[in-house]
Amino acid sequence: TRITLGFAARGALAVVVPFAIMLALGQAYGAVFAALGGLFTVLADTGGSYRRRFAAMLVVLLVGGSSLYLGTLLAALTWLLPLLLAVIAFVSGMVRVFGGSSIAIGLFANILFLVGAYAPGDTGSAATFVGFYAIGNLWVVCVHLALWRLRPYRILLQEIAASYDAAARLVTALELASAGVETALARRYVRVLHRTARERIRKAEATLESLRVGYGHSSAVFDHALLLLSAVSREVIAATSLRAMSQPEPGTEAARAWRQFFRAWRRTLKNVSRFLLTGRGSPATAAMHAAFDALDQQGEITRAKAAPLRLALLHMDAVAETGVLQPHFRLHWRATLPRPSTTWLGSVCKTLATNLTFASFIFRHALRVAVAAGFGLWFAGAIGVPRLLWLPMTTIVVLQPEFGATWRRLWARVAGTLGGVLIAGGAHFLVHDSLLEIVIIALFAFAAFYFIRSAYSIGVVMLTPMILLLLGVLMPDASAMLILARGLDTILGGMVALAAAFVLWPLWQRDPFLDRCAQAVLAQREYLARACDQPGDGKPSRPELMQARHAAERATDNADATLQRMLSEPRAVRGNRRAALGFVTYLRRLADNAAHFSVALRGARLMPGERAHADELLQRLDMIAAVLSGEAQPTSLAMLKPQLEGLAAPPPRLALWFERFAADTAMLAIISRRLVQR
């Protein structure tokens, strides 16, 4: 929440401050273009190291200014504009290969070209427009540098703190269960919170890795951050392992003791989060130890519960040690600036050359965007819509590399825009005071930045009236027509994008889904193999096991994300929907059982009988992955049964786990055969 609020406040200041200042100076054009410069600069800041973010904001200035200048300079050549837009759209589509801010920068290049081509004014205003745009950009850069100089590791600390907050909410669910909340409901709640905590931790790990690469040098800060993330990951494992525990009768001494332990655990996690954000408070674990001792004295800590509880205490003690938590991670401001270098140029050229082939989906998508954008601009002129820029702009924004993503973006964009148009229409007829209009624009800007990354359709609802009110400053007499044209052109542009996604070299998700499933199975196989290869030292966790688990979770999430895109595709091309849903369900069940198995094993070495069962399970996963990737025939999976046959019964301590794994792999084998059938 702190990160989102900070982003929203920064976005609102980026738009409103240059807009209000330029408007007060009597520069209506300057107010609009400066606001656009601030808006696009903040949206291009997609995270990562400060050096990369700073470079991205400068690239927004260079690329956006060039596109704006070119569009304004060539505005009179109406017959040439569709072709030029197609070229710019192709280039901006190709830079998607670099990911991150490059996707946003390419999108803004198209928008600014259209804004420059259809903005009121003569061609002599091109340099002036670019100058106003640069003022908004440089204003945002200055604000960012001022904030970064004070707290260069702020984003990393916020994301680690968010991970601890998510872990605290997970423990809160256990506390509620100990207080007598309905068991089935509590367990479902724990599953949702576990997924949220896992996503928070992965996001913080990605930010940490980006900072490591961006700064190019080691630092004690990174080591401390890695320890904090490793600890919170173990806390999440420990909390999830306790979700199936039998709860004592509510109101008894045992129930109160468990609730006291969960409360102390939650408070310790929250204290760590508060310490990271403010530098105040103490993450001491004395209360956790006292509550643990009380449970131990009452005989409540069984062998099954001892492992996750000791795991939680072990890592919270490591976090509470002196020197691990530092309230003020500092770095000199010069380290945020980009280092002059040309070594990146060769890598950029090589990457682009590799993707300049029709076999690359990036190349096909760039061609698709170019054709759709050029056609959209020509079509807007042919049917005589009032404002030519909205229709092709909507086409570019809505069109995504996959049909399913385009379909979802279309509905979110159209619904959000129409909602925003209604709001803008009401503001147009009700608000006639300039100061009040600036306040309304500020509120819409804050709301748009708050929702745009988490709830896209709501963000569009807030962004649309903000943009329309900004442009209404340039054309006060035509504001009503501008609002009407925005809604109509959004619908038409969305239809053009949907047609392009369906007709022009569509990318269907069936084949990528099978590959993602195979990768997820192999990742789960690697994690299970590492869990079974413990050296017997009694340690409940180790770094390589954590890395394998995170890799398996990411691979599973990739398969799930591909499935969600596939479900948005036409029925004729998406394949067996029920089988795909079932596969991801059992894959997550396998991952859940593997995580709990590694905790229950507690670092112990497998006995010979257990080793034979583990090898059979790993061989099953290899066979399933081979079938999904096309390296083996589906008939090879027919022999996999819900039981491990031909092996001696394993010792009782792990027999239940091997039975679960056998059932999971058997179901995955059955569903895999259905998936690969054409």
Side-chain angles (χ1 to χ4, degrees):
T1 303
R2 287 173 179 263
I3 296 173
T4 306
L5 286 174
F7 177 71
R10 195 164 67 245
L13 288 175
V15 173
V16 175
V17 171
F19 176 78
I21 292 176
M22 288 295 169
L23 205 59
L25 295 175
Q27 297 288 340
Y29 289 109
V32 174
F33 284 107
L36 290 178
L39 172 68
F40 291 154
T41 305
V42 173
L43 289 177
D45 180 15
T46 57
S49 69
Y50 284 170
R51 182 174 292 112
R52 290 183 177 181
R53 296 168 63 189
F54 182 78
M57 289 187 287
L58 293 183
V59 172
V60 168
L61 173 59
L62 177 63
V63 174
S66 301
S67 297
L68 180 60
Y69 184 85
L70 184 63
T72 308
L73 194 65
L74 302 177
L77 303 176
T78 55
W79 60 272
L80 187 60
L81 291 179
L83 179 60
L84 290 175
L85 178 62
V87 173
I88 294 174
F90 175 78
V91 175
S92 62
M94 286 301 301
V95 300
R96 292 180 68 98
V97 71
F98 302 110
S101 298
S102 63
I103 299 175
I105 293 171
L107 175 64
F108 301 152
N110 291 282
I111 294 175
L112 286 167
F113 175 80
L114 288 168
V115 170
Y118 295 102
D122 53 25
T123 55
S125 303
T128 306
F129 289 169
V130 173
F132 290 138
Y133 171 81
I135 289 174
N137 174 277
L138 295 176
W139 156 251
V140 175
V141 171
C142 291
V143 170
H144 278 69
L145 286 179
L147 294 174
W148 292 349
R149 184 172 181 176
L150 295 175
R151 296 289 300 276
Y153 294 107
R154 185 171 182 82
I155 286 183
L156 176 61
L157 294 180
Q158 287 176 330
E159 294 189 354
I160 297 177
S163 301
Y164 277 86
D165 282 335
R169 287 192 292 272
L170 186 58
V171 175
T172 301
L174 298 177
E175 182 183 350
L176 293 175
S178 66
V181 176
E182 197 274 319
T183 306
L185 176 63
R187 289 178 180 176
R188 288 196 297 271
Y189 189 41
V190 168
R191 284 197 293 270
V192 174
L193 293 176
H194 175 234
R195 182 171 63 251
T196 302
R198 192 175 67 236
E199 292 170 353
R200 293 286 189 184
I201 294 171
R202 282 202 298 270
K203 185 177 180 182
E205 289 174 338
T207 300
L208 172 60
E209 186 60 27
S210 180
L211 285 170
R212 284 175 179 267
V213 175
Y215 285 123
H217 59 80
S218 61
S219 169
V221 172
F222 298 147
D223 296 334
H224 293 159
L226 184 61
L227 189 150
L228 288 168
L229 286 173
S230 175
V232 72
S233 178
R234 302 311 198 281
E235 299 301 308
V236 170
I237 291 177
T240 309
S241 300
L242 293 170
R243 74 181 183 186
M245 62 175 281
S246 57
Q247 300 293 342
E249 189 69 24
T252 61
E253 286 296 325
R256 283 192 288 271
W258 275 109
R259 191 172 185 183
Q260 186 64 30
F261 176 79
F262 290 136
R263 186 176 300 165
W265 189 3
R266 171 178 56 82
R267 190 179 298 117
T268 304
L269 291 167
K270 295 291 290 186
N271 287 340
V272 174
S273 173
R274 188 180 302 110
F275 197 84
L276 289 170
L277 294 173
T278 65
R280 296 189 297 271
S282 173
T285 58
M288 281 185 67
H289 281 279
F292 179 85
D293 293 339
L295 285 172
D296 196 17
Q297 291 173 4
Q298 295 185 24
E300 286 292 317
I301 302 179
T302 63
R303 181 176 180 181
K305 299 174 184 176
L309 293 178
R310 294 188 184 279
L311 182 69
L313 283 169
L314 172 68
H315 288 281
M316 289 312 300
D317 286 338
V319 169
E321 288 181 1
T322 304
V324 172
L325 291 175
Q326 296 183 5
H328 302 293
F329 290 158
R330 295 186 179 275
L331 186 69
H332 198 274
W333 67 272
R334 292 188 181 88
T336 66
L337 300 177
R339 297 173 182 174
S341 174
T342 58
T343 56
W344 56 270
L345 189 59
S347 176
V348 168
C349 294
K350 183 178 180 180
T351 302
L352 286 174
T354 302
N355 284 273
L356 283 174
T357 170
F358 204 78
S360 169
F361 84 93
I362 294 290
F363 181 82
R364 296 196 302 271
H365 178 63
L367 280 180
R368 185 186 303 119
V369 174
V371 173
F375 172 80
L377 184 54
W378 171 85
F379 181 64
I383 63 177
V385 298
R387 303 295 168 190
L388 298 182
L389 74 161
W390 294 123
L391 195 155
M393 185 185 301
T394 302
T395 300
I396 295 170
V397 172
V398 169
L399 191 54
Q400 302 296 308
E402 305 89 10
F403 180 87
T406 302
W407 178 256
R408 290 195 301 273
R409 177 62 64 91
L410 169 65
W411 282 107
R413 189 76 185 182
V414 171
T417 299
L418 294 179
V421 165
L422 294 176
I423 296 174
H428 168 71
F429 289 107
L430 297 177
V431 179
H432 304 286
D433 181 78
S434 298
L435 181 60
L436 182 58
E437 188 176 35
I438 292 175
V439 173
I440 293 176
I441 290 174
L443 293 176
F444 280 130
F446 181 87
F449 281 103
Y450 187 86
F451 289 108
I452 197 67
R453 290 182 176 175
S454 58
Y456 180 77
S457 57
I458 300 177
V460 173
V461 171
M462 300 294 107
L463 186 65
T464 299
M466 184 197 76
I467 296 294
L468 291 175
L469 291 174
L470 284 174
L471 297 181
V473 174
L474 297 182
M475 296 166 284
D477 297 333
S479 296
M481 180 58 69
L482 187 69
I483 294 172
L484 180 62
R486 181 73 167 100
L488 176 62
D489 292 351
T490 296
I491 297 175
L492 294 176
M495 294 299 102
V496 172
L498 188 65
F502 188 83
V503 175
L504 300 177
W505 316 290
L507 176 63
W508 307 116
Q509 293 299 307
R510 178 184 173 86
D511 292 333
F513 177 69
L514 294 179
D515 292 337
R516 298 289 188 277
C517 289
Q519 294 168 11
V521 170
L522 288 176
Q524 292 292 350
R525 188 260 186 214
E526 178 64 19
Y527 172 54
L528 191 59
R530 288 182 179 272
C532 294
D533 290 338
Q534 301 298 302
D537 55 6
K539 292 183 179 180
S541 61
R542 57 192 69 252
E544 61 273 15
L545 189 60
M546 179 192 71
Q547 294 171 3
R549 182 174 68 87
H550 289 176
E553 290 174 348
R554 285 192 293 270
T556 303
D557 288 344
N558 288 337
D560 195 5
T562 304
L563 169 63
Q564 298 307 316
R565 292 193 295 269
M566 187 172 68
L567 294 179
S568 301
E569 296 175 350
R571 185 183 300 272
V573 297
R574 70 184 177 200
N576 192 328
R577 175 178 178 272
R578 180 176 296 181
L581 288 169
F583 188 91
V584 173
T585 299
Y586 278 95
L587 187 62
R588 289 203 177 278
R589 175 174 165 174
L590 175 66
D592 195 40
N593 285 332
H596 288 82
F597 172 75
S598 66
V599 174
L601 198 58
R602 291 183 296 173
R605 187 189 299 274
L606 294 182
M607 304 299 290
E610 298 169 340
R611 183 75 256 180
H613 283 75
D615 291 340
E616 175 65 22
L617 290 171
L618 297 178
Q619 185 178 359
R620 284 186 169 203
L621 293 175
D622 286 333
M623 294 172 60
I624 294 171
V627 170
L628 290 171
S629 60
E631 299 175 1
Q633 294 298 320
T635 53
S636 61
L637 299 178
M639 65 184 71
L640 300 187
K641 305 297 182 183
Q643 297 84 24
L644 296 177
E645 299 175 346
L647 298 174
R653 64 165 189 155
L654 297 178
L656 179 61
W657 291 108
F658 287 123
E659 290 177 6
R660 291 177 179 176
F661 288 138
D664 292 343
T665 53
M667 287 302 303
L668 286 175
I670 294 172
I671 299 174
S672 297
R673 294 182 64 185
R674 297 174 184 171
L675 283 176
V676 297
Q677 291 175 354
R678 295 291 179 177

